[in-house]
Amino acid sequence: MKTLKIVLFSSLFILFAQLVNAQTKSATFKVSGECGMCKNKIETAAKNAGASYAQWNVDSKSLTIKYNSKSSNEAKIQEGIAAVGYDTPNYKATDEAYNKLHDCCKYERVGDQKSCCDGTSCTKEECKKCCADGKCTASMDCCKDGKCSHDAQTAGAGKEGAACCKKS
């Protein structure tokens, strides 16, 4: 009789453990951010939105979460992270939330990229980045004295570097 009780208790314990584990889901997705301060805010926001575990990697920009599927879901957690200023695959932070981030936390937002020669001053480094992305020609003639020389664009198509200042 004692052996039967032990087997029955063990079976119930294993069944309960499987039920609890079946409700726990995990996911990994990208979250934009820059530094250790971001890591703290992202992980805290994920936990406030229902994650029981949240670990953000600064280098890979990947967040791994675990959550109980009965009380939360991945979309709710991503939405909570976006609410504090960080873009996720399915939710983009509002400009207001993003602008509240510390300067060191401000990341390059997808879709907000501007051409290096968009009519404002630019540095040669920005033009090099722009040219590396294929948005302007290999010639750096349009970037002189730290400003985009729109004279090159309007002075005639025959001048080398004129295409560099065309808006993309």
Side-chain angles (χ1 to χ4, degrees):
M1 186 67 160
K2 191 174 187 179
T3 305
L4 182 61
K5 286 182 181 180
I6 292 173
V7 170
L8 183 61
F9 179 74
S10 297
S11 298
L12 286 174
F13 180 76
I14 291 170
L15 180 64
F16 178 74
Q18 287 178 342
L19 286 174
V20 169
N21 193 31
Q23 295 172 1
T24 301
K25 302 246 181 191
S26 63
T28 301
F29 52 87
K30 297 282 186 185
V31 178
S32 299
E34 292 295 319
C35 63
M37 193 180 322
C38 296
K39 177 179 173 58
N40 185 39
K41 286 181 180 181
I42 291 167
E43 291 173 356
T44 300
K47 289 177 181 177
N48 288 342
S52 57
Y53 170 86
Q55 184 69 40
W56 185 69
N57 184 297
V58 176
D59 296 324
S60 68
K61 313 289 188 224
S62 293
L63 176 69
T64 301
I65 56 169
K66 292 182 183 178
Y67 59 93
N68 184 323
S69 62
K70 287 193 173 193
S71 61
S72 191
N73 58 51
E74 185 177 342
K76 182 179 176 183
I77 294 168
Q78 284 192 32
E79 188 175 18
I81 294 166
V84 297
Y86 299 95
D87 294 345
T88 68
N90 297 321
Y91 293 89
K92 183 176 178 181
T94 64
D95 290 339
E96 182 181 346
Y98 175 79
N99 290 332
K100 288 181 182 178
L101 296 176
H102 289 94
D103 287 340
C104 66
C105 296
K106 292 191 176 173
Y107 50 90
E108 193 169 315
R109 299 187 85 186
V110 177
D112 288 350
Q113 297 173 356
K114 296 177 182 173
S115 168
C116 68
C117 300
D118 63 357
T120 61
S121 64
C122 59
T123 66
K124 290 183 181 184
E125 200 59 41
E126 287 172 318
C127 283
K128 286 178 187 174
K129 179 181 176 190
C130 185
C131 290
D133 292 338
K135 293 182 182 175
C136 52
T137 67
S139 172
M140 295 296 155
D141 292 348
C142 71
C143 294
K144 293 182 181 177
D145 302 320
K147 292 188 179 185
C148 179
S149 171
H150 288 282
D151 295 335
Q153 179 183 3
T154 58
K159 283 192 170 182
E160 186 163 304
C164 180
C165 290
K166 288 182 182 174
K167 293 182 181 179
S168 52

